[in-house]
Amino acid sequence: MAILAMAQSGFHHIIGEMTLKRLSTIMAALLGFVIMIVPPNTAFGQKLQVNDLGYFETRGLNVLVFSNQYNGFFFDEKTAGIELIHHGVRTATGGAVRLQPTPEQWDLIPVVTGRTVDKKTNSIEVKLRYKEYDFESKVTVTAKDNGVVIRVSLDKPLPEKLVGNAGFNLEFLPSAYFEKTYLADGRPGIFPLYPSSDAEVRPLSKKIPQYNGYSTFEDRGRNEFLVPEPLATCRTLALAPEDPERYVKIQSMTGDLMLYDGRVLAQNGWFVVRSLIPANTTGTVVEWYLEPNTVPNWTRKPVIGFSQVGYHPSQNKVAVIELDKNDAPLKTATAYRVTPEGKLTEAFTGDVKPWGNYLRYNYVKFDFSSVRDSGLYFIKYGDQRTEAFPIGTGVYADVWHPTLDVWFPVQMDHMRVREAYRIWHGTPFLDDALQAPVNIRHFDGYWMDSTTHTKYKPLEHIPGLDVGGWFDAGDFDIETAHHCTVIESFVDAWENFGIKRDETFIDQKTRFVEIHRPDGTPDLLQQIEHGTLQLVAQFKNVGFAVRGINFPYLYEYHHLGDGSTITDNLLYNPKLKPYETDGMTSGTLDDRWVFTPKFPGLNYSAIGALAAATRALKGYNKELADEALSTAVSAYERERNEPLPPQARMFAWFFSNAECDAALQLFITTKDEKYSRRFNELIWPEMDSALAWNIATATRAVPYMPKEFKTRLEKYVEKYQSENERLSQLNPYGVPIGTRGWAGDEELVNWSITNYFLHKSYPNIIHRESVYKALDYLYGCHPYSNISFVAGVGTHSKKRTYGSNRADFSFIAGGVVPGVLLLKPDFLENKEDWPFLWGENECVIDICADYIFLANAANELLGEK
Ligand SMILES: [Ca+2]
Ligand SMILES: [Ca+2]
Ligand SMILES: [Ca+2]
């Protein structure tokens, strides 16, 4: 074993540096010579080619043309239109005809009505349509020289209403251009770190309405709106000319280019380059030449995927190394040990084994499972070394503490939350809540039918709901379905692992929470109580589990910061004028709305959660436990005797799965055979129709059912395992990686929990490694980067997540992010310098609760001899 003293390695480092310096002097001289005779771009640039995947490609640069489209649910997610992947980083998005200088999430988006990829002419053409204005345009992108020409053409002149509003936009990621400069027709400027450019107030009549007439702007009754003014206006714009990896040149052959800062209107805005479409014109109305610089022979640095939390000695330890397709894999990698003296000893050098291609990269693996001695290590591959990480028996012991100690307390609704000197938020939503009006479609995916289904009139105050509950994510609404999942997950954790950790002070009576302050009661019980209080209040005051409690206005919904400042915390009083108050009530209609459509399966989910909560709460808050059980029992009877709503057929799998779970939880709690009979009636056909979705419920039943149940389930487990084996071949990480519009860490965690339960009952079929593999992935053995997806957990972890504090480029410790998002067709992304992409970085309550369970499950399995 080679021993390298730190001093020695420092010496080698100096030698290496000297050699490098000499080499670079020679290189610089050579380069200088080349630069003198030929401009760098033409010397090294390679022409962009449309590839088989339907985007323009050259080394160091991809130009995507509507490989990703705007969707109608979250609207502008900054993941659609013409986009640049510049030296491995997605730096530009939103290239499209847009109706605002700096479009926000809920501004109108164009629909793609046609897309033609032509490899022969090396061009991609899209037809865009705004149905609201019967307005169609054509955008053609064609490779030319070392860039592309972008042409917008019209068959008919602009509709009158869009003159001065419609333009061609391309948006640049602020964090990619922070601390960089630009030249506008040669005039120098610095990209602002913080927005401070000008805005203009215009009358509301001039505004292009946002989605469904909603508005992100708090107008205060003045009938106006804001329009940002440009930072610069020019014909040729050079973005970051000093940085070869970010330099982009844009020339307009038609009108002016204007550079805007979208953050004046919305913290998640981007820098936008825009040309207006002229009035009364057809044919080519906008023409740009866009040339992003490319670094000659650029090769992306390898990403060494490994667990930032470390490994238990008995675990498999495999680093997955992600390589540029132009990168030649090395033969070996080494695990070094760091001694208490600060020395580095080579612990293991082993072969790097090829895995193959997955999406756009090539993958190799380095297996260092033979390293088992407790200590600190890092991995070295080529000239790259990872952060140090531990190997030891206790590595999973406290990885879930930040999630229970910090993340969940901060998400607690209706409570004031303190942490040492900081108040995370005051007591929010004491004015909960008004009955939502009928016949509405809401911006958060909520809706109301033509009746309220309750005894309340639209906008009538529903009492009793200002209690318990969690903000479901980076926003501040209550999503009841997620509450049900969280409560059951917490009860699972309570019953399986007996988690008694007490580091939070929670007092319901005075609505006060303090982080890092024990109060003699297990925090998990207090969280179960907090969720149950809200669910019970819904049944008591509304009669059933509501879809959710959400905001009437977009400008309340997109709130950043302290949730207690969204409403005035005073009940709405229609007798007062807006912004008028008598000290007790208020004329401002800002209270949250209770959405009460019939939502298939939701009552069953709530019944399951209440029945489960009863067991955890009975030794702690007997009164609430009794109320939860009697609510669950009577709601179940009502639900069984109610005719199925028509949507139940559409969501049959969801509906039936929820009833299965409700019956099972009621059986476990009451031991009444009528529930187990119903459970058995439902579960087998459910598994025949959707195995992966239902086996998790079935496996939780094993300990409570007769032996025959377990025997009968076995063949389903075998089938599930063969599907697992197929999944494990699909990518080098051997775990399911989601490819939807929201990244897949939640499905991954659930998959792992199902594997845990199945392993407990069928250890010969389901291997325990399938439980740890998902955690390794979360902790850094994943594509794009090797950062831990659990904020504050592991040596290097997420420091920018989509929480209520996202505008501070910060995080709430213990939050688990969705992970790597697939930008079609082949680019997985999880940005760490930009917290505003919710599909990548928004922490939600379900995954965080499930993560607490999973970390404890792994800890338990690894503690077994
Ligand atoms: Ca929400
Ligand atoms: Ca406590
Ligand atoms: Ca209010």
Side-chain angles (χ1 to χ4, degrees):
M1 228 179 269
I3 299 184
L4 292 167
M6 279 296 219
Q8 218 178 345
S9 93
F11 178 68
H12 282 294
H13 188 65
I14 292 165
I15 295 288
E17 204 167 74
M18 278 167 64
T19 319
L20 259 178
K21 251 189 197 153
R22 260 185 56 207
L23 258 176
S24 58
T25 315
I26 298 166
M27 287 295 288
L30 280 172
L31 272 171
F33 176 68
V34 175
I35 287 164
M36 271 187 333
I37 52 171
V38 199
N41 293 334
T42 46
F44 300 114
Q46 284 170 293
K47 212 171 146 72
L48 284 156
Q49 289 293 332
V50 173
N51 64 16
D52 292 338
L53 295 168
Y55 61 81
F56 292 95
E57 183 181 14
T58 188
R59 206 157 163 175
L61 174 67
N62 303 153
V63 181
L64 277 56
V65 181
F66 281 88
S67 294
N68 298 283
Q69 301 185 7
Y70 296 103
N71 74 58
F73 192 76
F74 287 129
F75 309 95
D76 187 355
E77 299 190 72
K78 305 300 177 199
T79 55
I82 298 173
E83 302 186 87
L84 302 181
I85 298 171
H86 202 186
H87 299 105
V89 181
R90 192 170 61 96
T91 56
T93 193
V97 171
R98 300 302 301 271
L99 309 182
Q100 286 81 13
T102 63
E104 295 174 63
Q105 181 181 349
W106 295 275
D107 280 319
L108 297 184
I109 45 179
V111 173
V112 176
T113 54
R115 179 170 181 270
T116 317
V117 178
D118 189 344
K119 288 177 77 171
K120 233 188 299 162
T121 59
N122 215 7
S123 72
I124 302 175
E125 185 177 285
V126 287
K127 288 189 177 127
L128 303 178
R129 177 175 167 76
Y130 285 94
K131 63 173 188 314
E132 298 81 356
Y133 295 94
D134 189 22
F135 169 49
E136 283 185 348
S137 58
K138 196 166 73 184
V139 178
T140 314
V141 183
T142 311
K144 190 192 172 206
D145 299 337
N146 294 314
V148 291
V149 170
I150 301 173
R151 276 191 200 92
V152 181
S153 53
L154 303 184
D155 290 338
K156 284 189 287 184
L158 262 189
E160 178 88 31
K161 176 81 185 167
L162 297 185
V163 174
N165 289 312
F168 179 78
N169 291 14
L170 183 59
E171 309 197 5
F172 288 86
L173 179 67
S175 55
Y177 286 89
F178 285 158
E179 303 181 330
K180 297 188 190 348
T181 63
Y182 60 85
L183 288 168
D185 288 339
R187 293 185 307 277
I190 300 170
F191 282 105
L193 194 58
Y194 200 87
S196 60
S197 49
D198 301 348
E200 187 197 333
V201 177
R202 288 193 191 161
L204 192 60
S205 57
K206 300 268 185 233
K207 183 176 171 162
I208 301 291
Q210 293 178 286
Y211 158 74
N212 209 16
Y214 287 108
S215 174
T216 50
F217 183 59
E218 187 176 357
D219 181 50
R220 307 289 290 192
R222 287 167 176 266
N223 293 320
E224 58 194 30
F225 75 113
L226 281 184
V227 183
E229 291 187 10
L231 295 169
T233 302
C234 56
R235 289 295 173 118
T236 301
L237 181 65
L239 297 92
E242 75 275 30
D243 179 352
E245 294 206 350
R246 292 290 160 267
Y247 173 31
V248 175
K249 185 174 76 180
I250 305 174
Q251 271 173 305
S252 170
M253 263 62 94
T254 46
D256 282 341
L257 295 171
M258 289 168 289
L259 174 64
Y260 288 95
D261 187 344
R263 298 171 303 161
V264 168
L265 296 189
Q267 273 83 356
N268 62 352
W270 292 38
F271 295 130
V272 181
V273 182
R274 170 174 172 87
S275 281
L276 278 174
I277 295 175
N280 305 318
T281 315
T282 55
T284 299
V285 288
V286 173
E287 183 173 335
W288 288 6
Y289 173 63
L290 173 94
E291 187 182 281
N293 184 59
T294 53
V295 173
N297 295 319
W298 178 81
T299 308
R300 183 175 178 260
K301 280 206 187 86
V303 174
I304 308 171
F306 74 102
S307 168
Q308 297 276 356
V309 152
Y311 301 86
H312 189 281
S314 70
Q315 235 186 303
N316 288 347
K317 305 169 198 76
V318 182
V320 178
I321 305 171
E322 185 176 81
L323 298 175
D324 191 299
K325 60 186 171 194
N326 294 304
D327 199 350
L330 302 174
K331 292 218 157 36
T332 61
T334 302
Y336 284 91
R337 185 164 181 191
V338 190
T339 73
E341 292 76 33
K343 292 179 180 170
L344 312 177
T345 59
E346 184 183 322
F348 174 75
T349 294
D351 290 344
V352 162
K353 300 220 171 82
W355 184 87
N357 292 316
Y358 170 61
L359 299 174
R360 61 169 50 204
Y361 300 122
N362 185 27
Y363 291 84
V364 295
K365 290 191 185 192
F366 169 56
D367 188 333
F368 58 105
S369 301
S370 62
V371 181
R372 300 173 71 101
D373 292 342
S374 172
L376 292 175
Y377 296 84
F378 65 82
I379 300 162
K380 193 160 184 288
Y381 173 82
D383 55 8
Q384 245 200 88
R385 57 182 261 188
T386 65
E387 289 85 0
F389 57 86
I391 291 179
T393 51
V395 292
Y396 292 122
D398 56 8
V399 290
W400 51 276
H401 290 180
T403 312
L404 183 63
D405 294 7
V406 181
W407 197 83
F408 264 100
V410 175
Q411 296 304 116
M412 288 171 84
D413 199 347
H414 302 116
M415 306 291 270
R416 174 181 169 91
V417 179
R418 174 183 283 284
E419 179 182 13
Y421 293 5
R422 166 188 234 166
I423 298 290
W424 276 96
H425 56 76
T427 316
F429 308 119
L430 294 172
D431 44 2
D432 272 347
L434 301 178
Q435 167 69 58
V438 294
N439 290 322
I440 49 169
R441 293 220 146 260
H442 185 254
F443 42 78
D444 202 17
Y446 288 42
W447 69 89
M448 282 293 291
D449 308 329
S450 54
T451 149
T452 64
H453 301 287
T454 68
K455 62 183 176 191
Y456 302 100
K457 288 193 288 294
L459 299 183
E460 186 179 345
H461 178 71
I462 302 179
L465 295 175
D466 58 334
V467 61
W470 303 279
F471 307 138
D472 81 298
D475 48 17
F476 297 90
D477 51 288
I478 284 193
E479 281 257 12
T480 304
H482 294 189
H483 280 61
C484 301
T485 313
V486 169
I487 291 170
E488 276 204 35
S489 181
F490 279 160
V491 174
D492 270 347
W494 176 254
E495 295 186 328
N496 282 276
F497 313 117
I499 297 173
K500 304 264 172 20
R501 185 171 176 78
D502 169 26
E503 290 297 333
T504 317
F505 177 99
I506 299 176
D507 182 30
Q508 290 290 344
K509 216 177 277 161
T510 60
R511 300 178 184 271
F512 183 75
V513 175
E514 184 161 3
I515 293 166
H516 314 307
R517 173 176 169 180
D519 64 357
T521 306
D523 302 337
L524 199 60
L525 280 185
Q526 288 170 307
Q527 291 294 351
I528 293 169
E529 177 185 45
H530 194 68
T532 305
L533 281 168
Q534 171 64 217
L535 272 192
V536 165
Q538 292 184 8
F539 278 96
K540 196 149 85 182
N541 298 294
V542 182
F544 53 88
V546 306
R547 168 78 174 85
I549 304 179
N550 212 324
F551 298 93
Y553 308 112
L554 257 182
Y555 66 77
E556 291 186 297
Y557 176 71
H558 63 46
H559 181 87
L560 288 164
D562 182 339
S564 73
T565 59
I566 303 178
T567 70
D568 57 14
N569 270 322
L570 301 170
L571 293 190
Y572 173 60
N573 178 354
K575 292 189 189 106
L576 297 171
K577 288 202 192 76
Y579 313 112
E580 196 177 87
T581 166
D582 58 11
M584 301 293 288
T585 61
S586 139
T588 309
L589 191 54
D590 66 358
D591 307 9
R592 293 197 294 191
W593 289 353
V594 187
F595 286 75
T596 53
K598 286 280 173 195
F599 197 60
L602 180 60
N603 272 342
Y604 282 127
S605 297
I607 290 160
L610 289 172
T614 303
R615 303 193 296 273
L617 292 175
K618 65 174 184 260
Y620 163 55
N621 181 342
K622 184 152 186 318
E623 199 185 324
L624 183 61
D626 290 347
E627 199 174 0
L629 184 59
S630 63
T631 304
V633 168
S634 57
Y636 185 81
E637 288 317 310
R638 262 204 320 279
E639 204 61 31
R640 288 277 289 133
N641 293 318
E642 211 172 83
L644 283 186
Q647 305 100 303
R649 275 189 293 280
M650 231 164 74
F651 298 98
W653 49 271
F654 178 70
F655 197 82
S656 213
N657 175 276
E659 193 192 340
C660 257
D661 182 64
L664 176 63
Q665 293 300 337
L666 279 166
F667 172 65
I668 298 171
T669 305
T670 64
K671 303 288 180 298
D672 186 333
E673 297 282 337
K674 76 175 176 195
Y675 299 119
S676 66
R677 275 198 302 276
R678 182 63 183 154
F679 172 73
N680 268 291
E681 253 168 57
L682 291 168
I683 190 70
W684 304 105
E686 273 291 291
M687 278 198 294
D688 290 332
S689 71
L691 180 65
W693 187 262
N694 289 284
I695 199 164
T697 310
T699 176
R700 279 167 171 81
V702 170
Y704 308 98
M705 294 288 158
K707 266 211 297 287
E708 304 80 72
F709 183 90
K710 188 178 165 188
T711 316
R712 188 174 170 190
L713 184 59
E714 187 160 330
K715 72 170 197 293
Y716 291 91
V717 181
E718 279 161 356
K719 196 172 155 206
Y720 170 84
Q721 177 56 15
S722 64
E723 179 57 17
N724 266 359
E725 272 153 27
R726 190 187 68 83
L727 279 176
S728 74
Q729 309 298 319
L730 293 182
N731 63 64
Y733 303 93
V735 300
I737 297 178
T739 53
R740 297 175 305 135
W742 186 280
D745 284 357
E746 187 167 345
E747 288 84 342
L748 175 71
V749 167
N750 274 313
W751 171 77
S752 244
I753 291 175
T754 303
N755 292 343
Y756 164 80
F757 277 112
L758 290 170
H759 169 76
K760 295 289 278 183
S761 296
Y762 305 91
N764 297 328
I765 305 176
I766 305 288
H767 198 273
R768 53 171 65 187
E769 279 293 333
S770 63
V771 178
Y772 319 143
K773 254 199 301 196
L775 281 172
D776 284 358
Y777 180 95
L778 277 188
Y779 294 144
C781 191
H782 56 68
Y784 191 76
S785 73
N786 58 14
I787 201 163
S788 164
F789 284 148
V790 188
V793 174
T795 311
H796 177 52
S797 65
K798 291 294 300 181
K799 289 199 282 288
R800 288 172 185 91
T801 64
Y802 191 103
S804 57
N805 57 347
R806 59 191 175 273
D808 308 325
F809 287 68
S810 185
F811 64 98
I812 301 166
V816 186
V817 300
V820 290
L821 182 74
L822 179 68
L823 277 300
K824 287 178 204 147
D826 64 347
F827 187 69
L828 290 169
E829 175 185 87
N830 178 275
K831 285 198 182 291
E832 175 59 6
D833 60 355
W834 191 247
F836 298 106
L837 298 166
W838 49 87
E840 299 180 6
N841 284 324
E842 184 168 13
C843 306
V844 299
I845 52 177
D846 321 36
I847 189 173
C848 290
D850 289 337
Y851 167 72
I852 292 174
F853 182 93
L854 182 60
N856 277 280
N859 208 27
E860 181 207 75
L861 290 181
L862 287 161
E864 288 172 0
K865 291 284 167 276

